[in-house]
């Protein structure tokens, strides 16, 4: 059974946690460890993660807590959509000055690795979306050149699509993760989907998930079921990601060498040789 650390601040977060944990499904699946100033253990999170006392961290709805980590990626996750932002907190009119081809390629590679490790998709399909249509024939267009360069590396990235055509065509059903250019593009996609979602702070050494409720969201005592459901979904996502990471790391810890290298065959002829047909073998024997 996994130990899941749940972060809460004072206030309604405690009531939401109590409502979520009162659900009959959780008792046989995970063991909650509540961190708060009230419990006087809020400063123990790092050590408990370090020594394996907890397996993942989940931030409860209503907690006045925000986390930012350099190199991380905030991924919105629902049943059919995984969505992240290439340039979070950058205004649309400053994109051209903020984005380089190297940074774009780096973000796409990061998303590719996140989906492979955290969601166990061996060959992820990635979509890139932008607010404005891009000229795919322009050799200076960094979106198109980056997509083409990564496709040459066998990274399956497609686009760039405009946000509107992505939404109208329900393209999210065709991809394992989508990268929107700005927060505005991301929000436009989220506004046009009705599925309940939670967030994964990906590319961190620990597993951390959050609900999609803002930190200043006001909850009344008679409407705690939905945030409690969101909290359970965030917990289940954290558990899934933790299991996937463990399985992925174990599978890739000591990869076997390729067979043709073990045979010490320096050429590719044996590896790619086409077996002769029976008639050809008989002909060779007759000669």
């Amino acid at each position: 059974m996994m130990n899941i650390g749940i972060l809460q601040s004072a206030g309604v977060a405690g009531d939401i946690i109590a409502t979520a944990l009162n659900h009959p499904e959780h008792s046989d699946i995970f063991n909650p460890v509540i961190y708060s100033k009230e419990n006087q253990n809020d400063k123990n999170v790092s050590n408990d993660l370090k020594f394996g006392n907890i397996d993942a961290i989940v931030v409860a709805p209503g907690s006045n807590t925000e986390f930012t980590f350099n190199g991380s990626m905030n991924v919105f996750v629902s049943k059919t959509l995984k969505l992240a932002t290439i340039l979070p907190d950058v205004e649309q009119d400053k994109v051209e000055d903020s984005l380089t081809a190297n940074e774009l390629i780096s973000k796409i590679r990061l998303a590719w690795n996140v989906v492979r490790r955290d969601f166990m998709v061996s060959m992820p399909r990635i979509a890139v979306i932008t607010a404005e249509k891009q000229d795919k024939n322009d050799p200076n267009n960094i979106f198109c050149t980056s997509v083409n360069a990564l496709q040459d590396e066998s990274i399956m990235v497609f686009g760039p699509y405009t946000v509107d055509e992505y939404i109208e065509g329900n393209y999210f059903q065709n991809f394992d993760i989508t990268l929107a250019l700005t927060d505005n593009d991301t929000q436009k996609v989220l506004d046009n989907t009705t599925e309940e979602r939670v967030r994964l702070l990906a590319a961190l050494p620990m597993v951390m998930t959050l609900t999609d409720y803002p930190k200043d969201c006001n909850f009344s005592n008679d409407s705690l079921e939905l945030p409690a459901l969101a909290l359970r979904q965030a917990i289940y996502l954290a558990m899934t990601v933790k299991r996937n990471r463990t399985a992925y790391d174990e599978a890739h810890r000591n990869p076997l060498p390729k067979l043709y290298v073990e045979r010490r065959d320096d050429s590719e002829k044996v590896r790619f040789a086409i077996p002769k047909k029976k008639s050809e073998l008989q002909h060779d024997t007759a000669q």
Side-chain angles (χ1 to χ4, degrees):
M1 183 181 295
M2 286 193 184
N3 294 324
I4 303 298
I6 304 177
L7 300 185
Q8 74 164 89
S9 59
V12 73
D15 296 329
I16 295 173
I17 293 172
T19 303
L21 298 184
N22 194 37
H23 198 277
E25 287 184 2
H26 100 270
S27 58
D28 296 329
I29 300 177
F30 64 91
N31 178 44
V33 181
I34 313 300
Y35 292 94
S36 66
K37 290 184 179 180
E38 182 179 345
N39 293 345
Q40 298 182 350
N41 65 346
D42 55 315
K43 299 186 183 301
N44 298 339
V45 179
S46 296
N47 282 335
D48 284 351
L49 281 168
K50 179 179 179 180
F51 293 106
N53 296 330
I54 54 175
D55 298 288
I57 285 291
V58 178
V59 181
S63 294
N64 190 18
T65 308
E66 286 290 331
F67 294 91
T68 56
F69 298 92
N70 291 332
S72 65
M73 176 173 280
N74 184 16
V75 184
F76 292 90
V77 181
S78 69
K79 289 183 179 179
T80 59
L81 174 70
K82 296 179 186 69
L83 177 66
T85 308
I86 296 172
L87 292 176
D89 303 320
V90 175
E91 297 296 331
Q92 187 71 43
D93 57 353
K94 297 181 180 179
V95 166
E96 189 172 340
D97 297 330
S98 303
L99 185 64
T100 64
N102 288 337
E103 183 177 7
L104 177 58
I105 289 174
S106 176
K107 287 294 181 69
I108 295 173
R109 284 194 180 122
L110 177 61
W112 189 70
N113 286 319
V114 164
V115 177
R116 293 178 71 217
R117 185 173 181 234
D118 290 358
F119 297 96
M120 295 293 282
V121 179
S122 59
M123 288 296 291
R125 295 163 297 177
I126 304 171
V128 176
I129 59 176
T130 60
E132 300 177 354
K133 191 172 184 63
Q134 305 295 317
D135 183 2
K136 296 186 179 182
N137 296 319
D138 182 1
N140 297 318
N141 186 296
I142 63 173
F143 294 98
C144 303
T145 55
S146 299
V147 166
N148 292 336
L150 289 168
Q151 286 178 344
D152 291 340
E153 298 178 16
S154 298
I155 294 179
M156 299 176 66
V157 54
F158 302 90
Y161 306 101
T162 65
V163 176
D164 290 336
E165 67 178 326
Y166 176 87
I167 294 172
E168 292 171 4
N170 289 326
Y171 287 174
F172 62 88
Q173 298 178 359
N174 301 325
F175 299 100
D176 298 297
I177 191 169
T178 299
L179 297 181
L181 182 56
T182 65
D183 286 332
N184 286 339
D185 300 331
T186 297
Q187 192 59 50
K188 189 172 182 179
V189 174
L190 295 178
D191 289 342
N192 282 272
T193 59
T194 57
E195 291 183 331
E196 296 177 352
R197 54 188 175 266
V198 293
R199 291 188 289 156
L200 168 69
L201 279 182
L204 296 177
M206 70 285 199
V207 177
M208 177 177 285
T209 61
L210 309 87
T211 64
D212 195 26
Y213 288 97
K215 64 180 181 180
D216 56 352
C217 187
N218 293 320
F219 302 98
S220 60
N221 290 330
D222 58 350
S223 63
L224 299 183
E225 285 298 329
L226 286 179
L229 173 62
L231 176 58
R232 287 199 301 272
Q233 290 176 331
I235 292 171
Y236 299 152
L237 174 62
M239 294 171 64
T240 298
V241 170
K242 177 63 177 180
R243 290 193 188 100
N244 288 345
R245 285 189 186 181
T246 301
Y248 181 91
D249 293 344
E250 179 64 27
H252 291 79
R253 183 169 290 117
N254 294 305
L256 292 172
K258 294 181 180 179
L259 186 59
Y260 72 93
V261 175
E262 290 178 334
R263 291 178 175 175
R264 301 185 183 279
D265 184 2
D266 294 330
S267 71
E268 297 289 304
K269 294 180 180 179
V270 173
R271 185 181 177 208
F272 294 105
I274 301 175
K276 291 185 176 182
K277 297 179 181 179
K278 184 176 181 181
S279 58
E280 293 175 345
L281 292 174
Q282 292 173 346
H283 177 71
D284 292 343
T285 302
Q287 288 183 340

